[in-house]
């Protein structure tokens, strides 16, 4: 074995030959004229040192940073919108909490006054219910269910005023149909809440509800079985929703006809109930012994009145729902705005009527 072979064997044994052999093979990549003869199989990745790594890392970081900024732009907008929604939800919870506290305070005050009234009655002392109701700011009633309804209805009117203002602003700002659809659904739910409140009030005192004492004088002038007549409101709204397509006109006419038929049926039912009630009270009026039986029968007949009020509200609710499906989103929004403005003007007219100057007698 020659000296060079001995050295190669020693290098192989130490694991150093292969790198050296690789370096020696690089010489083949040069042509005779000294230029590079690079092929895809001869490119070998080489560690260029710490400085080169730092340069590559810095450049990659800058590219990633720019990419993150571009990708975060819509994310930042979403985060701002979510933050605004959270703030609006927080304020809504605070308003609801304050309203619940107000209801609880009023309920406790009512319970206290009812207890005082019971003690006064036991002692044989007469207390005017008008005076007690005036202390509560109520129109002559001590029914806790009606008291709750009156406070809830006052809050409903405040929310109605805010909703109408928000809807008017949204229509003027020309927001998207998706955002407008949310406002329409909120408006329909707002009226659904009123129908729910009225159903609870009907259980407490259906005569109070149907008499319309919770409404202004001009509103009561248009009242039909505890609320508005759907067919008449359709006539009011149609002029605010033009232009309508031919199919929409047909659908609205069919809806109005269905409303009128249902209204006639309910009105006939109310008339029949009045006749039955009058006859049951008038029968054998000279016979004092049947008085209690007659009153019991009359009470049974009056219980049907609650069902009529609930059916009338159901008709009103279904009319609003069907109309919103016939109209486009923007038309439905305009319709709800016109409905809110209509009731607002009725209440304003009542205030003007009450404050009108009167000639001295």
């Amino acid at each position: 074995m020659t000296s060079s072979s001995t050295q190669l064997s020693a290098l192989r044994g130490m694991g150093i030959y292969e790198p050296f052999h690789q370096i020696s093979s690089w010489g083949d990549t040069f042509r005779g004229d000294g230029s590079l003869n690079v092929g895809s199989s001869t490119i070998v990745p080489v560690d260029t040192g710490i400085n080169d790594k730092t340069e590559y890392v810095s450049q990659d970081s800058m590219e990633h940073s720019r990419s993150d900024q571009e990708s975060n732009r819509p994310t930042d907008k979403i985060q701002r919108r979510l933050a605004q929604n959270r703030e609006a939800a927080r304020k809504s919870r605070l308003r609801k909490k304050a309203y619940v506290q107000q209801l609880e305070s009023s309920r406790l005050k009512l319970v206290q006054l009812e207890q005082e009234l019971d003690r006064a009655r036991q002692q044989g002392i007469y207390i005017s219910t008008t005076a007690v109701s005036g202390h509560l700011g109520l129109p002559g009633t001590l029914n806790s269910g009606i008291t709750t309804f009156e406070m809830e209805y006052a809050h409903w009117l405040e929310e109605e005023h805010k909703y109408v203002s928000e809807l008017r602003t949204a229509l003027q700002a020309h927001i998207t149909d998706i955002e407008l659809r949310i406002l329409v659904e909120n408006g329909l739910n707002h009226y659904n809440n009123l129908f729910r409140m009225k159903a609870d009030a009907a259980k407490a005192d259906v005569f109070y509800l149907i008499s319309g004492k919770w409404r202004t004088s001009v509103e009561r002038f248009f009242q039909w079985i505890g609320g508005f007549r759907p067919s008449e409101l359709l006539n009011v709204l149609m002029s605010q929703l033009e232009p309508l397509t031919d199919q929409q006109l047909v659908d609205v006419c069919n809806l109005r006809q269905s409303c009128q038929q249902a209204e006639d049926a309910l009105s006939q039912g109310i008339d029949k109930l009045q006749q039955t009630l009058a006859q049951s009270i008038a029968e054998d009026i000279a016979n004092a012994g049947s008085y209690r039986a007659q009153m019991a029968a009359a009470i049974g007949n009056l219980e049907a009145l609650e069902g009529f009020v609930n059916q009338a509200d159901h008709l009103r609710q279904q009319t609003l729902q069907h109309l919103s499906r016939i109209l486009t989103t923007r038309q439905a929004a305009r319709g709800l705005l016109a409905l809110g403005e209509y009731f607002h003007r009725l209440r304003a007219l009542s205030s003007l009527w009450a404050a009108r100057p009167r000639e001295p007698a």
Side-chain angles (χ1 to χ4, degrees):
M1 182 179 295
T2 63
S3 176
S4 60
S5 299
T6 303
Q7 291 177 353
L8 290 174
S9 298
L11 290 172
R12 288 192 182 97
M14 297 171 63
I16 301 175
Y17 170 73
E18 292 300 333
F20 274 79
H21 176 72
Q22 186 179 30
I23 294 174
S24 65
S25 67
W26 290 351
D28 297 333
T29 63
F30 291 89
R31 297 190 184 95
D33 57 358
S35 62
L36 281 173
N37 183 20
V38 181
S40 60
S41 60
T42 61
I43 298 176
V44 180
V46 181
D47 187 357
T48 58
I50 297 176
N51 292 335
D52 290 341
K53 288 182 179 179
T54 304
E55 181 180 354
Y56 293 150
V57 170
S58 176
Q59 184 177 0
D60 290 343
S61 299
M62 292 175 64
E63 292 178 355
H64 284 299
S65 177
R66 286 195 298 269
S67 177
D68 290 342
Q69 290 177 358
E70 293 177 355
S71 62
N72 284 339
R73 286 175 184 171
T75 304
D76 293 341
K77 184 177 181 181
I78 294 174
Q79 292 297 331
R80 287 196 300 271
R81 178 64 63 86
L82 291 175
Q84 293 173 355
N85 291 342
R86 286 193 295 269
E87 180 64 18
R90 185 185 69 83
K91 292 180 179 179
S92 177
R93 288 193 298 270
L94 291 176
R95 287 196 301 269
K96 183 177 181 181
K97 182 178 179 181
Y99 171 63
V100 171
Q101 291 175 347
Q102 179 185 1
L103 282 180
E104 181 64 18
S105 176
S106 300
R107 186 188 68 82
L108 293 175
K109 184 184 293 185
L110 176 64
V111 170
Q112 181 181 1
L113 288 173
E114 287 180 335
Q115 292 173 351
E116 293 177 0
L117 180 60
D118 290 337
R119 286 195 297 269
R121 285 172 177 168
Q122 293 173 3
Q123 295 172 3
I125 301 175
Y126 173 77
I127 298 180
S128 172
T129 56
T130 303
V132 176
S133 301
H135 182 73
L136 281 174
L138 305 176
T141 177
L142 284 175
N143 189 318
S144 59
I146 295 303
T147 302
T148 301
F149 170 76
E150 288 178 334
M151 289 186 294
E152 288 183 340
Y153 182 64
H155 180 69
W156 186 91
L157 287 177
E158 293 178 359
E159 294 297 320
E160 169 75 1
H161 179 71
K162 295 177 183 177
Y163 170 75
V164 169
S165 298
E166 182 180 5
L167 192 57
R168 185 187 301 107
T169 302
L171 286 171
Q172 293 174 351
H174 302 290
I175 64 175
T176 64
D177 284 351
I178 295 178
E179 294 172 305
L180 205 56
R181 171 53 59 181
I182 295 175
L183 289 177
V184 170
E185 293 297 332
N186 290 340
L188 294 175
N189 290 332
H190 186 60
Y191 281 100
N192 290 340
N193 289 335
L194 176 60
F195 297 136
R196 175 192 56 77
M197 290 157 46
K198 290 175 63 181
D200 293 338
K203 294 178 182 178
D205 187 352
V206 67
F207 280 103
Y208 168 83
L209 187 69
I210 204 171
S211 67
K213 293 181 180 179
W214 48 286
R215 290 189 182 273
T216 61
S217 57
V218 177
E219 287 178 298
R220 289 198 298 271
F221 179 70
F222 292 98
Q223 183 154 296
W224 171 79
I225 314 182
F228 57 84
R229 191 183 287 269
S231 61
E232 291 182 356
L233 276 186
L234 285 176
N235 294 332
V236 171
L237 294 179
M238 284 306 98
S239 62
Q240 307 297 323
L241 301 177
E242 296 176 350
L244 297 174
T245 65
D246 293 340
Q247 185 60 49
Q248 285 178 322
L249 288 172
V250 171
D251 293 339
V252 171
C253 288
N254 291 336
L255 179 60
R256 184 190 294 112
Q257 184 177 2
S258 299
C259 289
Q260 290 173 343
Q261 292 174 352
E263 291 165 9
D264 291 342
L266 287 174
S267 296
Q268 292 173 7
I270 290 288
D271 293 341
K272 183 64 175 179
L273 177 62
Q274 290 176 339
Q275 295 173 5
T276 303
L277 183 62
Q279 291 174 359
S280 66
I281 294 177
E283 285 179 355
D284 199 12
I285 201 168
N287 187 356
S290 63
Y291 175 78
R292 291 189 176 182
Q294 290 174 348
M295 291 299 103
I299 291 295
N301 290 329
L302 286 177
E303 290 177 349
L305 187 59
E306 180 183 341
F308 281 106
V309 173
N310 290 335
Q311 290 179 50
D313 272 348
H314 180 70
L315 177 60
R316 288 182 269 265
Q317 184 179 24
Q318 290 300 309
T319 301
L320 290 176
Q321 294 287 347
H322 282 295
L323 183 61
S324 68
R325 287 193 285 268
I326 293 173
L327 303 175
T328 65
T329 299
R330 197 159 294 273
Q331 287 173 333
R334 285 162 47 200
L336 286 172
L337 177 60
L339 188 62
E341 289 284 2
Y342 176 73
F343 288 127
H344 173 73
R345 293 185 182 188
L346 290 181
R347 291 190 291 269
L349 183 57
S350 294
S351 300
L352 293 173
W353 172 259
R356 75 190 187 282
R358 295 177 176 84
E359 295 182 0

